[in-house]
PDB file of all heavy atoms in Angstrom:
ATOM      1  N   ALA A 754      79.580-121.093-121.970  1.00 46.00           N
ATOM      2  CA  ALA A 754      80.688-120.189-122.252  1.00 46.00           C
ATOM      3  C   ALA A 754      80.194-118.750-122.346  1.00 46.00           C
ATOM      4  O   ALA A 754      80.910-117.821-122.006  1.00 46.00           O
ATOM      5  CB  ALA A 754      81.381-120.602-123.545  1.00 46.00           C
ATOM      6  N   TYR A 757      75.707-117.661-117.721  1.00 78.00           N
ATOM      7  CA  TYR A 757      74.319-117.740-117.277  1.00 78.00           C
ATOM      8  C   TYR A 757      74.039-116.514-116.425  1.00 78.00           C
ATOM      9  O   TYR A 757      74.819-116.158-115.548  1.00 78.00           O
ATOM     10  CB  TYR A 757      74.089-119.014-116.464  1.00 78.00           C
ATOM     11  CG  TYR A 757      72.728-119.071-115.835  1.00 78.00           C
ATOM     12  CD1 TYR A 757      71.617-119.363-116.612  1.00 78.00           C
ATOM     13  CD2 TYR A 757      72.535-118.799-114.497  1.00 78.00           C
ATOM     14  CE1 TYR A 757      70.356-119.400-116.055  1.00 78.00           C
ATOM     15  CE2 TYR A 757      71.284-118.828-113.924  1.00 78.00           C
ATOM     16  CZ  TYR A 757      70.196-119.137-114.713  1.00 78.00           C
ATOM     17  OH  TYR A 757      68.949-119.158-114.162  1.00 78.00           O
ATOM     18  N   LEU A 764      69.471-107.555-105.471  1.00 90.00           N
ATOM     19  CA  LEU A 764      70.328-107.153-104.355  1.00 90.00           C
ATOM     20  C   LEU A 764      69.469-106.865-103.128  1.00 90.00           C
ATOM     21  O   LEU A 764      68.346-106.372-103.258  1.00 90.00           O
ATOM     22  CB  LEU A 764      71.127-105.910-104.732  1.00 90.00           C
ATOM     23  CG  LEU A 764      72.137-106.063-105.866  1.00 90.00           C
ATOM     24  CD1 LEU A 764      72.747-104.708-106.210  1.00 90.00           C
ATOM     25  CD2 LEU A 764      73.215-107.042-105.489  1.00 90.00           C
ATOM     26  N   GLY A 783      46.043-103.101-115.471  1.00 66.00           N
ATOM     27  CA  GLY A 783      44.669-102.720-115.204  1.00 66.00           C
ATOM     28  C   GLY A 783      43.888-103.847-114.552  1.00 66.00           C
ATOM     29  O   GLY A 783      44.413-104.929-114.294  1.00 66.00           O
ATOM     30  N   ARG A 786      41.868-108.980-116.830  1.00 50.00           N
ATOM     31  CA  ARG A 786      42.890-109.931-117.257  1.00 50.00           C
ATOM     32  C   ARG A 786      42.834-110.057-118.766  1.00 50.00           C
ATOM     33  O   ARG A 786      41.781-110.232-119.347  1.00 50.00           O
ATOM     34  CB  ARG A 786      42.644-111.287-116.600  1.00 50.00           C
ATOM     35  CG  ARG A 786      42.916-111.257-115.130  1.00 50.00           C
ATOM     36  CD  ARG A 786      42.639-112.575-114.449  1.00 50.00           C
ATOM     37  NE  ARG A 786      43.070-113.718-115.183  1.00 50.00           N
ATOM     38  CZ  ARG A 786      42.336-114.825-115.308  1.00 50.00           C
ATOM     39  NH1 ARG A 786      41.166-114.891-114.742  1.00 50.00           N
ATOM     40  NH2 ARG A 786      42.791-115.838-115.987  1.00 50.00           N
ATOM     41  N   ARG A 787      43.997-110.004-119.409  1.00 50.00           N
ATOM     42  CA  ARG A 787      44.044-110.082-120.864  1.00 50.00           C
ATOM     43  C   ARG A 787      44.245-111.503-121.379  1.00 50.00           C
ATOM     44  O   ARG A 787      44.170-111.733-122.563  1.00 50.00           O
ATOM     45  CB  ARG A 787      45.181-109.199-121.364  1.00 50.00           C
ATOM     46  CG  ARG A 787      44.919-107.753-121.122  1.00 50.00           C
ATOM     47  CD  ARG A 787      45.961-106.908-121.832  1.00 50.00           C
ATOM     48  NE  ARG A 787      45.604-105.518-121.755  1.00 50.00           N
ATOM     49  CZ  ARG A 787      46.091-104.675-120.879  1.00 50.00           C
ATOM     50  NH1 ARG A 787      46.964-105.078-120.003  1.00 50.00           N
ATOM     51  NH2 ARG A 787      45.716-103.417-120.876  1.00 50.00           N
ATOM     52  N   PRO A 829      66.159 -92.826-118.333  1.00 91.00           N
ATOM     53  CA  PRO A 829      66.606 -92.946-119.723  1.00 91.00           C
ATOM     54  C   PRO A 829      65.892 -94.099-120.432  1.00 91.00           C
ATOM     55  O   PRO A 829      65.397 -95.032-119.800  1.00 91.00           O
ATOM     56  CB  PRO A 829      68.107 -93.235-119.593  1.00 91.00           C
ATOM     57  CG  PRO A 829      68.481 -92.722-118.246  1.00 91.00           C
ATOM     58  CD  PRO A 829      67.268 -92.902-117.390  1.00 91.00           C
ATOM     59  N   HIS A 832      66.708 -97.848-119.698  1.00 92.00           N
ATOM     60  CA  HIS A 832      66.329 -98.259-118.346  1.00 92.00           C
ATOM     61  C   HIS A 832      64.814 -98.433-118.239  1.00 92.00           C
ATOM     62  O   HIS A 832      64.338 -99.346-117.575  1.00 92.00           O
ATOM     63  CB  HIS A 832      66.857 -97.248-117.330  1.00 92.00           C
ATOM     64  CG  HIS A 832      68.351 -97.224-117.271  1.00 92.00           C
ATOM     65  ND1 HIS A 832      69.100 -96.409-118.075  1.00 92.00           N
ATOM     66  CD2 HIS A 832      69.223 -97.941-116.529  1.00 92.00           C
ATOM     67  CE1 HIS A 832      70.387 -96.614-117.826  1.00 92.00           C
ATOM     68  NE2 HIS A 832      70.490 -97.549-116.888  1.00 92.00           N
ATOM     69  N   TRP A 838      60.316-104.601-119.631  1.00 89.00           N
ATOM     70  CA  TRP A 838      60.546-106.011-119.976  1.00 89.00           C
ATOM     71  C   TRP A 838      60.432-106.903-118.740  1.00 89.00           C
ATOM     72  O   TRP A 838      59.809-107.952-118.778  1.00 89.00           O
ATOM     73  CB  TRP A 838      61.934-106.173-120.611  1.00 89.00           C
ATOM     74  CG  TRP A 838      62.388-107.582-120.673  1.00 89.00           C
ATOM     75  CD1 TRP A 838      61.960-108.536-121.539  1.00 89.00           C
ATOM     76  CD2 TRP A 838      63.329-108.221-119.796  1.00 89.00           C
ATOM     77  NE1 TRP A 838      62.581-109.730-121.261  1.00 89.00           N
ATOM     78  CE2 TRP A 838      63.425-109.568-120.196  1.00 89.00           C
ATOM     79  CE3 TRP A 838      64.093-107.785-118.728  1.00 89.00           C
ATOM     80  CZ2 TRP A 838      64.258-110.465-119.568  1.00 89.00           C
ATOM     81  CZ3 TRP A 838      64.920-108.688-118.108  1.00 89.00           C
ATOM     82  CH2 TRP A 838      64.996-110.010-118.532  1.00 89.00           C
TER      83      TRP A 838
END
Side-chain angles (χ1 to χ4, degrees):
Y757 173 76
L764 295 174
R786 290 178 41 223
R787 293 189 172 98
H832 294 89
W838 165 76

